[in-house]
Amino acid sequence: MNILVTGAAGMLGARLSARLLGEGLGGRGARRVILADAVRPDVPGARADCRVGDISDPQFAAGLLADRPEVIFHLAAIVSGEAEQDYTRGYRVNLDGTRHLFDAVRAARYCPRVVFASSVAVFGGPFPQRIPDDFIAAPQTSYGTQKVMGELLLEDLTRRGHMDGVALRLPTICIRPGRPNKAASGFFSGILREPLAGQEAVLPVPDDIRHWFASPAAAVANLLHAGQVDLSPLGHRRALNLPGLSATVGDQIEALRQVAGADALRLIQRRPDATITRIISSWAQDFDPVRATAMGFSGDASFVDIIRQHLAETAG
């Protein structure tokens, strides 16, 4: 089995790639895992075939299909805050890059499984208390709009028999390890990650902001599941709201107190940012992901568990 991962140098992409190289997929070993990104992925393994290039370049995208990978994980994208600030680059990478990759799949004529990393940012308010699977996607950010467009392309090409696709609407990933990125949601990780490391963190939104979360481990597990599960129950509706954890910023801070004590809370600096608050407030807060749950996708139990998982990983 040949497998392609775009965005393989990113946090989720690197974790996903390492799992694929070590375990294969669905009990099948991977002959080759093609790892594509704008920078060289730092993933060891004899079967890792690293490709560096721009996913929005049609020739680069087409070259990724030369070995006809049976499963394609499309994670390449620029993040929400950067997509909002740079309209042109956001559409070039997040929409044109997806379109060129999907065009290459269509031209290859062999119908691979395609797992597209979408986002809960495809939704915009006003929201019901819990978002059902049939709630309309009406994003209020450029990033969310670009992800909806990718979902529609995937569904159309699946309908036409060019791919067996599924779009996973990923919750916000928390706790992200490493340095902060340009995502509008980055502070959700920062207010936990930095205090746990004895560093100050900036909180730009009120404590009552509620959001939908997944740990890195849960997100990767769901991506792997999507690469092998029978998708026929989805019919023509190939975008899935994934299970996650609904929590407020206050809930996060309380979990931090339970795990790390009151001293960690003193490292959180409240500095309101109207732009970040506007973006985050337009995103979904809670879901009832019946379809995904019935297909075996799963989420995290609590923020205490997420924090302990992060500490175990960073200690290793």
Side-chain angles (χ1 to χ4, degrees):
M1 174 187 290
N2 288 338
I3 300 172
L4 167 63
V5 181
T6 74
M11 187 273 294
L12 283 185
R15 287 172 177 244
L16 174 64
S17 300
R19 289 282 300 274
L20 292 168
L21 286 163
E23 305 167 18
L25 183 64
R28 297 176 60 190
R31 291 193 305 273
R32 176 182 296 176
V33 182
I34 304 161
L35 308 178
D37 211 318
V39 297
R40 184 176 179 81
D42 184 20
V43 179
R47 287 168 288 117
D49 179 359
C50 296
R51 312 279 183 89
V52 178
D54 183 351
I55 195 67
S56 65
D57 177 353
Q59 291 185 334
F60 178 70
L64 298 177
L65 273 292
D67 294 315
R68 299 168 71 86
E70 290 98 321
V71 183
I72 298 169
F73 294 94
H74 179 38
L75 279 64
I78 65 169
V79 294
S80 53
E82 188 175 0
E84 195 69 10
Q85 293 170 5
D86 192 335
Y87 178 92
T88 300
R89 185 163 186 256
Y91 275 88
R92 181 176 62 80
V93 175
N94 293 350
L95 177 58
D96 294 343
T98 297
R99 180 171 60 86
H100 293 321
L101 180 67
F102 288 2
D103 280 349
V105 171
R106 178 176 57 85
R109 298 180 180 275
Y110 71 104
C111 197
R113 170 67 57 90
V114 176
V115 180
F116 172 52
S118 187
S119 167
V120 295
V122 301
F123 297 109
F127 298 115
Q129 186 171 2
R130 296 192 77 197
I131 293 175
D133 284 326
D134 59 358
F135 190 70
I136 188 171
Q140 296 177 8
T141 62
S142 293
Y143 177 76
T145 301
Q146 293 148 13
K147 289 298 186 180
V148 170
M149 291 176 171
E151 290 181 2
L152 292 173
L153 287 170
L154 177 142
E155 290 183 333
D156 191 37
L157 289 171
T158 296
R159 176 185 64 84
R160 298 174 69 97
H162 297 297
M163 64 172 64
D164 183 22
V166 60
L168 302 185
R169 291 166 174 165
L170 293 171
T172 288
I173 307 303
C174 188
I175 301 169
R176 283 182 168 272
R179 297 176 59 83
N181 62 18
K182 295 182 180 180
S185 58
F187 70 88
F188 284 123
S189 289
I191 62 172
L192 302 176
R193 181 185 59 231
E194 270 68 87
L196 288 169
Q199 302 171 5
E200 289 189 350
V202 173
L203 174 58
V205 304
D207 286 21
D208 62 355
I209 287 286
R210 179 174 291 276
H211 199 56
W212 188 242
F213 298 97
S215 67
V220 169
N222 283 330
L223 286 163
L224 290 167
H225 186 61
Q228 58 186 301
V229 69
D230 177 14
L231 298 178
S232 60
L234 296 179
H236 295 300
R237 294 174 57 203
R238 290 301 182 106
L240 273 177
N241 301 334
L242 288 182
L245 176 64
S246 179
T248 66
V249 169
D251 294 333
Q252 288 186 276
I253 293 172
E254 171 57 21
L256 178 65
R257 185 196 66 77
Q258 291 182 39
V259 176
D263 287 345
L265 273 56
R266 299 188 184 98
L267 294 169
I268 300 175
Q269 307 296 313
R270 287 174 167 78
R271 298 177 192 166
D273 185 313
T275 299
I276 296 295
T277 300
R278 175 185 62 80
I279 292 174
I280 298 300
S281 297
S282 75
W283 289 356
Q285 302 174 2
D286 197 1
F287 287 84
D288 186 19
V290 174
R291 297 168 73 223
T293 301
M295 294 180 64
F297 293 91
S298 61
D300 298 282
S302 73
F303 250 108
V304 168
D305 289 345
I306 291 175
I307 292 171
R308 287 175 175 160
Q309 179 187 109
H310 173 77
L311 289 173
E313 291 178 352
T314 54

